[in-house]
Amino acid sequence: MRLSRLFNPRPDAPLPLWMIFPVIFVALYASHFALLRVPYYWDEAGYYIPAAWDFFRTGSLIPITTLSNAHPPLPSIYLALWWKLSGFYPEVTREAVLMVAALGLLAVWRLGKSVTGSAAVAFWTVLLTGLYPIWFAQSSLAHADIFAAACTLWGLVYALPARGRNPRMGFLWFTAAALCKETSIAIPLTLAAIRMSEYMRGDIREPEEERGELLREAAWLAACMLPLAGWYAYHYAKTGFLFGNPEFLRYNAEATFAPLRILAAFGHRILHLTAHMNLFVPVGMGFAALLLTPRTDAAGNERAAIDPFVLRCILILLLVEAALFSCIGGALLTRYLLPMYPLVLLLAVTTFYRRVPYWQALAVLSAAAFIAGIFINPPYGFAPEDNIAYARVVRMHLAGIAQLNKLAPASTVLTAWPMTDELTRPELGYVKQAWDVDQIEDFTEGQIAHAADEPEKYSSALVFSTKYDPPSPLLSLGAASRAMDEQYFGLHHDMTPEAIAQRLGGTLLWRREEQGMWIALIRFNRQIEAKDEGGEIFGSLALESR
């Protein structure tokens, strides 16, 4: 019977998921084709690729060539499998991540269909999610967040709808999400708490079977903690650290529990969920649409809305995630909220569908805003990984390294992270042989002054903008806001290449600037006094780039 349905489906049967997935993947592959060979960027280069590379070479679940952050190992295992099958190349990595992103969008389709009953709403939610600049950029970046988001969304497919939930399948997907990124555990635990709340306030006259099902669902959802706890026990046994190296724990948890910082971070998170990267377009139109009367279908019935229970769960999840990542996470990275953006868009598209004539025009307008956001930077500071600015930064770094090879070969390079990793780890795709580097934290006045005190340590400098500074910060909230961002969120201002060259006594050989980001090469020709063991000057030597 199943085979007959497979090869002879009903004319009115919906497309099966196995037919939809290739369509989504091909669309993602085509739209990301120009990004497939881009070398690894920022946290990819700093942790996720080295961790997977170590597992690929040695089979160790604990990173060897980089400090362990105690992140669960499922992404490393997945990437290593693809490298084993297809080779260790950036394009293999990015294609593998695109498959995960496509799986996540397939979950968005299934979720949209199950909670609204409308294929049109599901289609537009999938399309807008795929085009949203943050999701679009993360779809090919090997961060754990896209893996966790895809698994989380599938967990929601089985745990969120008002009817037909499958707690066992939800357990499997949420467990996979937690083994991709530990913070994903907050979502099943929140849903478990909601189930327990429903059980506690339920009418005792309800059938015992229905009330018992709420307890069983809560138990399955809470059980997702067990595999994650097992991973942490293993990590502790191997390293002596439960939640990663102490510096990582201090930066991402211990140093974040200041009341003023939490309040400020929560404000940022609300903006991330409602306005960032042109998200204000569908969200704003959705709020405006709430003023309209619900529309009716041909039979005179109001168009379907999201079940109140499901709506309440979504709003609680959004609030919990915003609060969680206001309390933990040293950087306000928007990718931490990756599984929440499809839920926001589902709410907006459902509101369009339910209340607005020609509602698809609003969806088209939202898609246009998102496409613009992929290519055009916002008029305020943001992380380049929130759109394809990250690829522009990578290409600028490649151009800088090419100039370094040409104008200052074999020199010892003064630079900052992530360029330090790009120059010393050939597996990241930037260099064929490792360079000698002298590392500073950034290119602020304090760090450059420190470098000026030790000129003998370097003979060239490859300097670059470590933060995006908008040409005209129209949306700046003033000096008080900047001071708070500097104190709590790492905001700083790099010196200009000309000022760095002057302060260090070097020659600016090459400079490139593009859309608010820059990179420059400086060479040094200086005389360093040489002293004997007694401290007497007996000569000098020329120190310059070779």
Side-chain angles (χ1 to χ4, degrees):
M1 181 66 69
R2 289 184 179 274
L3 287 177
S4 64
R5 289 180 181 176
L6 178 65
F7 293 106
N8 297 289
R10 301 191 326 269
D12 60 341
L15 286 175
L17 297 181
W18 63 267
M19 294 182 65
I20 299 173
F21 177 80
V23 175
I24 295 175
F25 175 74
V26 169
L28 282 179
Y29 186 89
S31 60
H32 288 78
F33 185 78
L35 304 172
L36 295 181
R37 290 179 172 80
V38 173
Y40 302 114
Y41 172 76
W42 209 257
D43 280 347
E44 283 187 305
Y47 182 80
Y48 293 109
I49 294 303
W53 173 246
D54 289 343
F55 176 75
F56 174 66
R57 293 182 302 114
T58 70
S60 173
L61 294 175
I62 308 295
I64 298 171
T65 61
T66 188
L67 291 175
S68 175
N69 294 342
H71 289 323
L74 202 55
S76 294
I77 296 171
Y78 174 80
L79 292 177
L81 175 63
W82 278 102
W83 295 339
K84 187 71 174 178
L85 294 174
S86 304
F88 180 71
Y89 304 104
E91 54 265 40
V92 172
T93 304
R94 307 220 178 278
E95 288 164 1
V97 177
L98 283 173
M99 293 188 70
V100 174
L103 185 68
L105 291 179
L106 187 66
V108 175
W109 166 268
R110 178 76 176 272
L111 187 62
K113 281 273 291 178
S114 63
V115 302
T116 67
S118 169
V121 168
F123 168 80
W124 280 108
T125 304
V126 169
L127 182 63
L128 291 180
T129 300
L131 290 176
Y132 183 52
I134 296 172
W135 184 283
F136 185 92
Q138 295 299 322
S139 291
S140 61
L141 289 172
H143 297 137
D145 306 85
I146 188 66
F147 296 86
C151 294
T152 295
L153 289 166
W154 272 106
L156 291 174
V157 166
Y158 293 104
L160 188 60
R163 291 172 296 277
R165 297 191 293 267
N166 187 333
R168 294 173 180 82
M169 289 299 297
F171 164 79
L172 293 176
W173 282 108
F174 284 133
T175 296
L179 292 178
C180 290
K181 189 75 180 288
E182 63 278 4
T183 50
S184 301
I185 198 64
I187 292 177
L189 291 183
T190 299
L191 292 176
I194 293 173
R195 299 291 186 269
M196 286 299 300
S197 174
E198 291 291 313
Y199 174 81
M200 300 279 296
R201 22 184 228 106
D203 192 334
I204 60 173
R205 292 171 297 181
E206 291 179 352
E208 186 61 31
E209 184 178 348
E210 293 184 11
R211 300 187 73 230
E213 184 62 28
L214 290 172
L215 283 180
R216 285 189 288 273
E217 288 186 33
W220 277 108
L221 292 168
C224 298
M225 280 287 295
L226 298 177
L228 182 61
W231 159 250
Y232 278 125
Y234 175 82
H235 187 273
Y236 181 78
K238 291 292 185 178
T239 67
F241 300 123
L242 188 61
F243 298 116
N245 68 83
E247 179 60 25
F248 170 81
L249 184 61
R250 186 205 64 79
Y251 177 72
N252 285 282
E254 296 173 357
T256 61
F257 283 97
L260 186 58
R261 184 204 178 275
I262 292 174
L263 184 61
F266 187 74
H268 280 282
R269 291 309 189 185
I270 295 301
L271 289 175
H272 291 162
L273 288 171
T274 59
H276 185 49
M277 301 305 295
N278 296 343
L279 190 57
F280 68 88
V281 175
V283 170
M285 293 190 300
F287 275 114
L290 289 175
L291 301 176
L292 302 177
T293 303
R295 301 176 65 221
T296 57
D297 57 23
N301 301 314
E302 286 189 3
R303 286 195 168 185
I306 296 177
D307 183 89
F309 172 77
V310 176
L311 178 60
R312 185 165 65 253
C313 288
I314 291 176
L315 295 177
I316 291 173
L317 288 174
L318 293 173
L319 183 62
V320 167
E321 288 287 285
L324 173 67
F325 291 112
S326 301
C327 297
I328 64 174
L332 293 175
L333 298 177
T334 56
R335 58 180 152 95
Y336 294 165
L337 300 170
L338 205 56
M340 296 295 102
Y341 298 120
L343 301 184
V344 173
L345 292 170
L346 178 61
L347 295 179
V349 174
T350 303
T351 305
F352 299 163
Y353 168 78
R354 179 169 164 78
R355 296 175 181 270
V356 181
Y358 306 107
W359 64 274
Q360 297 192 59
L362 301 187
V364 171
L365 181 59
S366 301
F370 288 172
I371 292 172
I374 292 173
F375 300 98
I376 302 174
N377 294 342
Y380 51 84
F382 81 114
E385 65 177 38
D386 287 355
N387 66 7
I388 62 169
Y390 83 86
R392 191 177 304 117
V393 172
V394 169
R395 291 176 179 129
M396 290 175 66
H397 284 205
L398 287 170
I401 292 172
Q403 293 298 320
L404 183 66
N405 279 308
K406 177 181 177 181
L407 301 177
S411 59
T412 299
V413 187
L414 175 72
T415 192
W417 186 83
M419 183 65 75
T420 49
D421 285 352
E422 295 165 6
L423 289 174
T424 58
R425 301 186 67 117
E427 66 269 18
L428 298 180
Y430 291 83
V431 298
K432 293 183 178 180
Q433 292 184 335
W435 287 69
D436 293 328
V437 301
D438 180 35
Q439 181 172 353
I440 55 178
E441 293 183 10
D442 48 46
F443 304 106
T444 56
E445 290 187 15
Q447 288 294 303
I448 295 301
H450 177 72
D453 292 336
E454 300 177 321
E456 70 281 358
K457 289 187 174 182
Y458 53 89
S459 51
S460 67
L462 195 53
V463 299
F464 55 94
S465 50
T466 59
K467 296 285 186 180
Y468 171 76
D469 284 322
S472 55
L474 300 176
L475 302 181
S476 173
L477 298 179
S481 176
R482 287 195 300 272
M484 186 178 296
D485 288 345
E486 290 171 2
Q487 179 179 357
Y488 293 121
F489 307 122
L491 177 65
H492 63 262
H493 298 284
D494 297 308
M495 297 176 66
T496 64
E498 294 80 7
I500 295 173
Q502 182 179 11
R503 180 68 178 84
L504 297 180
T507 302
L508 185 62
L509 298 181
W510 173 83
R511 185 181 193 277
R512 177 174 170 180
E513 185 171 356
E514 199 171 321
Q515 295 193 24
M517 306 291 287
W518 54 263
I519 189 169
L521 175 63
I522 302 170
R523 186 172 64 187
F524 303 96
N525 299 301
R526 56 168 70 94
Q527 294 291 324
I528 301 297
E529 294 177 341
K531 299 183 180 181
D532 60 20
E533 293 181 357
E536 297 294 328
I537 297 175
F538 63 85
S540 64
L541 56 91
L543 178 65
E544 61 179 270
S545 301
R546 292 175 290 155

